[in-house]
PDB file of all heavy atoms in Angstrom:
ATOM      1  N   PHE X 127     269.402  92.759 123.447  1.00  0.00           N
ATOM      2  CA  PHE X 127     268.591  91.997 122.500  1.00  0.00           C
ATOM      3  C   PHE X 127     267.761  92.994 121.721  1.00  0.00           C
ATOM      4  O   PHE X 127     266.900  93.689 122.344  1.00  0.00           O
ATOM      5  CB  PHE X 127     267.746  91.032 123.289  1.00  0.00           C
ATOM      6  CG  PHE X 127     266.677  90.289 122.536  1.00  0.00           C
ATOM      7  CD1 PHE X 127     266.909  89.001 122.083  1.00  0.00           C
ATOM      8  CD2 PHE X 127     265.442  90.873 122.292  1.00  0.00           C
ATOM      9  CE1 PHE X 127     265.947  88.311 121.390  1.00  0.00           C
ATOM     10  CE2 PHE X 127     264.468  90.182 121.587  1.00  0.00           C
ATOM     11  CZ  PHE X 127     264.690  88.913 121.168  1.00  0.00           C
ATOM     12  N   ALA X 128     267.946  93.077 120.409  1.00  0.00           N
ATOM     13  CA  ALA X 128     267.294  94.171 119.711  1.00  0.00           C
ATOM     14  C   ALA X 128     266.457  93.672 118.545  1.00  0.00           C
ATOM     15  O   ALA X 128     266.965  93.303 117.462  1.00  0.00           O
ATOM     16  CB  ALA X 128     268.345  95.138 119.175  1.00  0.00           C
ATOM     17  N   ILE X 129     265.135  93.697 118.791  1.00  0.00           N
ATOM     18  CA  ILE X 129     264.200  93.366 117.658  1.00  0.00           C
ATOM     19  C   ILE X 129     263.284  94.587 117.391  1.00  0.00           C
ATOM     20  O   ILE X 129     263.048  94.913 116.245  1.00  0.00           O
ATOM     21  CB  ILE X 129     263.409  92.063 117.910  1.00  0.00           C
ATOM     22  CG1 ILE X 129     262.628  91.696 116.662  1.00  0.00           C
ATOM     23  CG2 ILE X 129     262.490  92.149 119.120  1.00  0.00           C
ATOM     24  CD1 ILE X 129     262.189  90.255 116.594  1.00  0.00           C
ATOM     25  N   THR X 130     262.822  95.276 118.468  1.00  0.00           N
ATOM     26  CA  THR X 130     261.839  96.345 118.288  1.00  0.00           C
ATOM     27  C   THR X 130     262.401  97.513 117.478  1.00  0.00           C
ATOM     28  O   THR X 130     263.553  97.893 117.655  1.00  0.00           O
ATOM     29  CB  THR X 130     261.379  96.862 119.699  1.00  0.00           C
ATOM     30  OG1 THR X 130     260.897  95.746 120.421  1.00  0.00           O
ATOM     31  CG2 THR X 130     260.300  97.894 119.561  1.00  0.00           C
ATOM     32  N   GLU X 131     261.540  98.055 116.642  1.00  0.00           N
ATOM     33  CA  GLU X 131     261.906  99.219 115.808  1.00  0.00           C
ATOM     34  C   GLU X 131     260.836 100.273 115.928  1.00  0.00           C
ATOM     35  O   GLU X 131     259.712  99.966 116.382  1.00  0.00           O
ATOM     36  CB  GLU X 131     262.018  98.776 114.336  1.00  0.00           C
ATOM     37  CG  GLU X 131     263.127  97.723 114.153  1.00  0.00           C
ATOM     38  CD  GLU X 131     263.244  97.280 112.690  1.00  0.00           C
ATOM     39  OE1 GLU X 131     262.506  97.792 111.820  1.00  0.00           O
ATOM     40  OE2 GLU X 131     264.135  96.455 112.440  1.00  0.00           O
ATOM     41  N   ALA X 134     257.867  98.835 114.362  1.00  0.00           N
ATOM     42  CA  ALA X 134     257.530  97.424 114.602  1.00  0.00           C
ATOM     43  C   ALA X 134     257.825  97.019 116.034  1.00  0.00           C
ATOM     44  O   ALA X 134     258.979  96.744 116.389  1.00  0.00           O
ATOM     45  CB  ALA X 134     258.343  96.520 113.650  1.00  0.00           C
ATOM     46  N   GLY X 135     256.784  97.011 116.840  1.00  0.00           N
ATOM     47  CA  GLY X 135     256.893  96.580 118.247  1.00  0.00           C
ATOM     48  C   GLY X 135     256.121  95.284 118.413  1.00  0.00           C
ATOM     49  O   GLY X 135     256.663  94.203 118.208  1.00  0.00           O
ATOM     50  N   SER X 136     254.817  95.415 118.713  1.00  0.00           N
ATOM     51  CA  SER X 136     253.959  94.208 118.761  1.00  0.00           C
ATOM     52  C   SER X 136     254.019  93.498 117.426  1.00  0.00           C
ATOM     53  O   SER X 136     253.998  92.259 117.367  1.00  0.00           O
ATOM     54  CB  SER X 136     252.507  94.600 119.061  1.00  0.00           C
ATOM     55  OG  SER X 136     252.403  95.348 120.239  1.00  0.00           O
ATOM     56  N   ASP X 137     254.139  94.261 116.380  1.00  0.00           N
ATOM     57  CA  ASP X 137     254.184  93.720 115.035  1.00  0.00           C
ATOM     58  C   ASP X 137     255.631  93.411 114.644  1.00  0.00           C
ATOM     59  O   ASP X 137     256.159  93.911 113.652  1.00  0.00           O
ATOM     60  CB  ASP X 137     253.585  94.792 114.077  1.00  0.00           C
ATOM     61  CG  ASP X 137     253.312  94.227 112.698  1.00  0.00           C
ATOM     62  OD1 ASP X 137     253.406  92.988 112.530  1.00  0.00           O
ATOM     63  OD2 ASP X 137     253.018  95.029 111.804  1.00  0.00           O
ATOM     64  N   VAL X 159     264.627 100.451 118.729  1.00  0.00           N
ATOM     65  CA  VAL X 159     264.251 101.319 119.886  1.00  0.00           C
ATOM     66  C   VAL X 159     263.907 100.481 121.110  1.00  0.00           C
ATOM     67  O   VAL X 159     263.551  99.297 120.986  1.00  0.00           O
ATOM     68  CB  VAL X 159     263.049 102.245 119.580  1.00  0.00           C
ATOM     69  CG1 VAL X 159     263.461 103.453 118.790  1.00  0.00           C
ATOM     70  CG2 VAL X 159     261.900 101.513 118.937  1.00  0.00           C
ATOM     71  N   PHE X 160     263.972 101.176 122.262  1.00  0.00           N
ATOM     72  CA  PHE X 160     263.576 100.586 123.548  1.00  0.00           C
ATOM     73  C   PHE X 160     264.428  99.362 123.907  1.00  0.00           C
ATOM     74  O   PHE X 160     263.901  98.365 124.397  1.00  0.00           O
ATOM     75  CB  PHE X 160     262.091 100.168 123.556  1.00  0.00           C
ATOM     76  CG  PHE X 160     261.145 101.287 123.260  1.00  0.00           C
ATOM     77  CD1 PHE X 160     260.121 101.136 122.362  1.00  0.00           C
ATOM     78  CD2 PHE X 160     261.244 102.460 123.969  1.00  0.00           C
ATOM     79  CE1 PHE X 160     259.231 102.174 122.110  1.00  0.00           C
ATOM     80  CE2 PHE X 160     260.350 103.483 123.750  1.00  0.00           C
ATOM     81  CZ  PHE X 160     259.339 103.372 122.808  1.00  0.00           C
ATOM     82  N   ILE X 161     265.689  99.389 123.657  1.00  0.00           N
ATOM     83  CA  ILE X 161     266.505  98.209 123.871  1.00  0.00           C
ATOM     84  C   ILE X 161     267.116  98.230 125.278  1.00  0.00           C
ATOM     85  O   ILE X 161     267.982  99.060 125.587  1.00  0.00           O
ATOM     86  CB  ILE X 161     267.638  98.105 122.784  1.00  0.00           C
ATOM     87  CG1 ILE X 161     266.999  98.153 121.373  1.00  0.00           C
ATOM     88  CG2 ILE X 161     268.437  96.803 122.978  1.00  0.00           C
ATOM     89  CD1 ILE X 161     265.867  97.185 121.119  1.00  0.00           C
ATOM     90  N   THR X 162     266.628  97.306 126.081  1.00  0.00           N
ATOM     91  CA  THR X 162     267.145  97.195 127.472  1.00  0.00           C
ATOM     92  C   THR X 162     268.656  96.915 127.429  1.00  0.00           C
ATOM     93  O   THR X 162     269.090  96.083 126.671  1.00  0.00           O
ATOM     94  CB  THR X 162     266.424  96.006 128.193  1.00  0.00           C
ATOM     95  OG1 THR X 162     265.033  96.255 128.146  1.00  0.00           O
ATOM     96  CG2 THR X 162     266.889  95.881 129.635  1.00  0.00           C
ATOM     97  N   THR X 204     262.562 107.356 130.493  1.00  0.00           N
ATOM     98  CA  THR X 204     261.291 106.712 130.692  1.00  0.00           C
ATOM     99  C   THR X 204     260.802 107.040 132.095  1.00  0.00           C
ATOM    100  O   THR X 204     261.508 107.697 132.868  1.00  0.00           O
ATOM    101  CB  THR X 204     261.389 105.170 130.619  1.00  0.00           C
ATOM    102  OG1 THR X 204     262.198 104.733 131.734  1.00  0.00           O
ATOM    103  CG2 THR X 204     262.014 104.678 129.325  1.00  0.00           C
ATOM    104  N   TRP X 208     265.621 103.762 134.993  1.00  0.00           N
ATOM    105  CA  TRP X 208     266.625 103.651 133.931  1.00  0.00           C
ATOM    106  C   TRP X 208     265.941 103.792 132.601  1.00  0.00           C
ATOM    107  O   TRP X 208     264.743 103.618 132.487  1.00  0.00           O
ATOM    108  CB  TRP X 208     267.359 102.314 134.062  1.00  0.00           C
ATOM    109  CG  TRP X 208     266.394 101.181 134.037  1.00  0.00           C
ATOM    110  CD1 TRP X 208     265.690 100.705 135.101  1.00  0.00           C
ATOM    111  CD2 TRP X 208     265.897 100.472 132.894  1.00  0.00           C
ATOM    112  NE1 TRP X 208     264.858  99.700 134.684  1.00  0.00           N
ATOM    113  CE2 TRP X 208     264.943  99.562 133.345  1.00  0.00           C
ATOM    114  CE3 TRP X 208     266.177 100.531 131.522  1.00  0.00           C
ATOM    115  CZ2 TRP X 208     264.270  98.672 132.497  1.00  0.00           C
ATOM    116  CZ3 TRP X 208     265.520  99.654 130.663  1.00  0.00           C
ATOM    117  CH2 TRP X 208     264.567  98.751 131.160  1.00  0.00           C
ATOM    118  N   PRO X 210     265.968 102.606 128.424  1.00  0.00           N
ATOM    119  CA  PRO X 210     266.556 101.727 127.388  1.00  0.00           C
ATOM    120  C   PRO X 210     267.220 102.559 126.333  1.00  0.00           C
ATOM    121  O   PRO X 210     267.244 103.811 126.438  1.00  0.00           O
ATOM    122  CB  PRO X 210     265.298 101.038 126.848  1.00  0.00           C
ATOM    123  CG  PRO X 210     264.179 101.968 127.088  1.00  0.00           C
ATOM    124  CD  PRO X 210     264.513 102.769 128.305  1.00  0.00           C
ATOM    125  N   LEU X 359     255.728  98.972 133.572  1.00  0.00           N
ATOM    126  CA  LEU X 359     256.408  98.467 132.378  1.00  0.00           C
ATOM    127  C   LEU X 359     255.998  97.022 132.087  1.00  0.00           C
ATOM    128  O   LEU X 359     255.935  96.609 130.908  1.00  0.00           O
ATOM    129  CB  LEU X 359     257.923  98.553 132.562  1.00  0.00           C
ATOM    130  CG  LEU X 359     258.789  97.887 131.518  1.00  0.00           C
ATOM    131  CD1 LEU X 359     258.570  98.533 130.153  1.00  0.00           C
ATOM    132  CD2 LEU X 359     260.260  97.945 131.911  1.00  0.00           C
ATOM    133  N   ILE X 362     253.766  96.155 129.363  1.00  0.00           N
ATOM    134  CA  ILE X 362     254.101  96.624 127.997  1.00  0.00           C
ATOM    135  C   ILE X 362     255.136  95.716 127.313  1.00  0.00           C
ATOM    136  O   ILE X 362     254.957  95.346 126.176  1.00  0.00           O
ATOM    137  CB  ILE X 362     254.610  98.075 128.043  1.00  0.00           C
ATOM    138  CG1 ILE X 362     253.490  98.989 128.563  1.00  0.00           C
ATOM    139  CG2 ILE X 362     255.129  98.522 126.696  1.00  0.00           C
ATOM    140  CD1 ILE X 362     253.919 100.386 128.864  1.00  0.00           C
ATOM    141  N   PHE X 363     256.233  95.425 128.014  1.00  0.00           N
ATOM    142  CA  PHE X 363     257.278  94.721 127.263  1.00  0.00           C
ATOM    143  C   PHE X 363     257.024  93.205 127.269  1.00  0.00           C
ATOM    144  O   PHE X 363     256.223  92.672 127.988  1.00  0.00           O
ATOM    145  CB  PHE X 363     258.686  95.117 127.680  1.00  0.00           C
ATOM    146  CG  PHE X 363     259.159  94.627 129.007  1.00  0.00           C
ATOM    147  CD1 PHE X 363     260.480  94.894 129.408  1.00  0.00           C
ATOM    148  CD2 PHE X 363     258.360  93.921 129.885  1.00  0.00           C
ATOM    149  CE1 PHE X 363     260.959  94.461 130.610  1.00  0.00           C
ATOM    150  CE2 PHE X 363     258.831  93.488 131.110  1.00  0.00           C
ATOM    151  CZ  PHE X 363     260.162  93.730 131.460  1.00  0.00           C
ATOM    152  N   GLU X 364     257.761  92.541 126.348  1.00  0.00           N
ATOM    153  CA  GLU X 364     257.638  91.084 126.145  1.00  0.00           C
ATOM    154  C   GLU X 364     256.210  90.660 125.927  1.00  0.00           C
ATOM    155  O   GLU X 364     255.739  89.678 126.492  1.00  0.00           O
ATOM    156  CB  GLU X 364     258.342  90.340 127.282  1.00  0.00           C
ATOM    157  CG  GLU X 364     259.818  90.690 127.308  1.00  0.00           C
ATOM    158  CD  GLU X 364     260.654  89.767 128.138  1.00  0.00           C
ATOM    159  OE1 GLU X 364     260.293  88.615 128.319  1.00  0.00           O
ATOM    160  OE2 GLU X 364     261.706  90.244 128.612  1.00  0.00           O
ATOM    161  N   GLY X 365     255.510  91.450 125.104  1.00  0.00           N
ATOM    162  CA  GLY X 365     254.100  91.172 124.806  1.00  0.00           C
ATOM    163  C   GLY X 365     253.186  91.970 125.681  1.00  0.00           C
ATOM    164  O   GLY X 365     253.090  91.693 126.890  1.00  0.00           O
ATOM    165  N   THR X 366     252.536  92.975 125.081  1.00  0.00           N
ATOM    166  CA  THR X 366     251.628  93.850 125.859  1.00  0.00           C
ATOM    167  C   THR X 366     250.411  93.046 126.361  1.00  0.00           C
ATOM    168  O   THR X 366     250.184  91.933 125.939  1.00  0.00           O
ATOM    169  CB  THR X 366     251.100  94.979 124.945  1.00  0.00           C
ATOM    170  OG1 THR X 366     250.359  94.366 123.894  1.00  0.00           O
ATOM    171  CG2 THR X 366     252.241  95.832 124.375  1.00  0.00           C
ATOM    172  N   GLU X 368     247.454  93.544 125.552  1.00  0.00           N
ATOM    173  CA  GLU X 368     246.548  93.297 124.397  1.00  0.00           C
ATOM    174  C   GLU X 368     247.057  92.103 123.574  1.00  0.00           C
ATOM    175  O   GLU X 368     246.237  91.319 123.080  1.00  0.00           O
ATOM    176  CB  GLU X 368     246.440  94.558 123.501  1.00  0.00           C
ATOM    177  CG  GLU X 368     245.720  95.732 124.164  1.00  0.00           C
ATOM    178  CD  GLU X 368     246.559  96.477 125.201  1.00  0.00           C
ATOM    179  OE1 GLU X 368     247.813  96.286 125.216  1.00  0.00           O
ATOM    180  OE2 GLU X 368     245.990  97.234 125.991  1.00  0.00           O
ATOM    181  N   ILE X 369     248.359  92.019 123.455  1.00  0.00           N
ATOM    182  CA  ILE X 369     248.892  90.905 122.651  1.00  0.00           C
ATOM    183  C   ILE X 369     248.692  89.570 123.399  1.00  0.00           C
ATOM    184  O   ILE X 369     248.387  88.540 122.803  1.00  0.00           O
ATOM    185  CB  ILE X 369     250.417  91.132 122.321  1.00  0.00           C
ATOM    186  CG1 ILE X 369     250.528  92.338 121.357  1.00  0.00           C
ATOM    187  CG2 ILE X 369     251.068  89.892 121.753  1.00  0.00           C
ATOM    188  CD1 ILE X 369     249.750  92.199 120.033  1.00  0.00           C
ATOM    189  N   ARG X 372     245.150  88.712 122.876  1.00  0.00           N
ATOM    190  CA  ARG X 372     244.991  88.287 121.488  1.00  0.00           C
ATOM    191  C   ARG X 372     245.398  86.800 121.380  1.00  0.00           C
ATOM    192  O   ARG X 372     244.702  85.962 120.783  1.00  0.00           O
ATOM    193  CB  ARG X 372     245.876  89.166 120.567  1.00  0.00           C
ATOM    194  CG  ARG X 372     245.909  88.813 119.121  1.00  0.00           C
ATOM    195  CD  ARG X 372     246.762  89.829 118.408  1.00  0.00           C
ATOM    196  NE  ARG X 372     246.871  89.571 117.003  1.00  0.00           N
ATOM    197  CZ  ARG X 372     247.870  88.883 116.430  1.00  0.00           C
ATOM    198  NH1 ARG X 372     248.834  88.399 117.173  1.00  0.00           N
ATOM    199  NH2 ARG X 372     247.882  88.703 115.139  1.00  0.00           N
TER     200      ARG X 372
HETATM  201  C1  FAD D   1     261.510  99.876 129.037  1.00  0.00           C
HETATM  202  C2  FAD D   1     261.350  99.033 127.852  1.00  0.00           C
HETATM  203  C3  FAD D   1     262.279  98.016 127.626  1.00  0.00           C
HETATM  204  C4  FAD D   1     262.209  97.243 126.435  1.00  0.00           C
HETATM  205  N1  FAD D   1     263.205  96.333 126.166  1.00  0.00           N
HETATM  206  C5  FAD D   1     263.248  95.771 124.916  1.00  0.00           C
HETATM  207  C6  FAD D   1     264.378  94.989 124.511  1.00  0.00           C
HETATM  208  O1  FAD D   1     265.335  94.752 125.291  1.00  0.00           O
HETATM  209  N2  FAD D   1     264.431  94.508 123.250  1.00  0.00           N
HETATM  210  C7  FAD D   1     263.417  94.736 122.338  1.00  0.00           C
HETATM  211  O2  FAD D   1     263.543  94.281 121.195  1.00  0.00           O
HETATM  212  N3  FAD D   1     262.316  95.452 122.695  1.00  0.00           N
HETATM  213  C8  FAD D   1     262.208  95.987 123.943  1.00  0.00           C
HETATM  214  N4  FAD D   1     261.124  96.730 124.311  1.00  0.00           N
HETATM  215  C9  FAD D   1     260.063  96.987 123.345  1.00  0.00           C
HETATM  216  C10 FAD D   1     258.719  96.335 123.715  1.00  0.00           C
HETATM  217  O3  FAD D   1     258.765  94.959 123.564  1.00  0.00           O
HETATM  218  C11 FAD D   1     257.635  97.030 122.881  1.00  0.00           C
HETATM  219  O4  FAD D   1     257.516  98.388 123.346  1.00  0.00           O
HETATM  220  C12 FAD D   1     256.304  96.311 122.957  1.00  0.00           C
HETATM  221  O5  FAD D   1     256.385  95.069 122.307  1.00  0.00           O
HETATM  222  C13 FAD D   1     255.161  97.130 122.342  1.00  0.00           C
HETATM  223  O6  FAD D   1     255.525  97.610 121.076  1.00  0.00           O
HETATM  224  P1  FAD D   1     255.329  99.170 120.688  1.00  0.00           P
HETATM  225  O7  FAD D   1     255.920  99.956 121.795  1.00  0.00           O
HETATM  226  O8  FAD D   1     255.791  99.367 119.319  1.00  0.00           O
HETATM  227  O9  FAD D   1     253.760  99.375 120.787  1.00  0.00           O
HETATM  228  P2  FAD D   1     252.748  99.031 119.602  1.00  0.00           P
HETATM  229  O10 FAD D   1     253.018  97.679 119.079  1.00  0.00           O
HETATM  230  O11 FAD D   1     252.721 100.164 118.638  1.00  0.00           O
HETATM  231  O12 FAD D   1     251.376  99.003 120.403  1.00  0.00           O
HETATM  232  C14 FAD D   1     250.635 100.177 120.721  1.00  0.00           C
HETATM  233  C15 FAD D   1     249.313  99.703 121.347  1.00  0.00           C
HETATM  234  O13 FAD D   1     248.570  98.960 120.371  1.00  0.00           O
HETATM  235  C16 FAD D   1     248.310  97.671 120.883  1.00  0.00           C
HETATM  236  N5  FAD D   1     248.369  96.680 119.789  1.00  0.00           N
HETATM  237  C17 FAD D   1     249.356  96.561 118.862  1.00  0.00           C
HETATM  238  N6  FAD D   1     249.058  95.539 118.024  1.00  0.00           N
HETATM  239  C18 FAD D   1     247.861  95.027 118.450  1.00  0.00           C
HETATM  240  C19 FAD D   1     247.057  93.958 118.012  1.00  0.00           C
HETATM  241  N7  FAD D   1     247.393  93.176 116.963  1.00  0.00           N
HETATM  242  N8  FAD D   1     245.901  93.705 118.700  1.00  0.00           N
HETATM  243  C20 FAD D   1     245.543  94.467 119.734  1.00  0.00           C
HETATM  244  N9  FAD D   1     246.276  95.499 120.207  1.00  0.00           N
HETATM  245  C21 FAD D   1     247.430  95.769 119.571  1.00  0.00           C
HETATM  246  C22 FAD D   1     249.395  97.398 121.920  1.00  0.00           C
HETATM  247  O14 FAD D   1     249.029  96.410 122.849  1.00  0.00           O
HETATM  248  C23 FAD D   1     249.538  98.788 122.547  1.00  0.00           C
HETATM  249  O15 FAD D   1     248.517  98.984 123.487  1.00  0.00           O
HETATM  250  C24 FAD D   1     261.138  97.469 125.513  1.00  0.00           C
HETATM  251  C25 FAD D   1     260.175  98.443 125.805  1.00  0.00           C
HETATM  252  C26 FAD D   1     260.244  99.197 126.923  1.00  0.00           C
HETATM  253  C27 FAD D   1     259.214 100.262 127.219  1.00  0.00           C
END
Side-chain angles (χ1 to χ4, degrees):
F127 171 98
I129 188 161
T130 304
E131 298 180 1
S136 305
D137 192 10
V159 280
F160 300 132
I161 306 307
T162 303
T204 66
W208 55 275
L359 171 63
I362 296 171
F363 72 176
E364 298 194 27
T366 61
E368 292 75 16
I369 293 302
R372 176 177 180 266

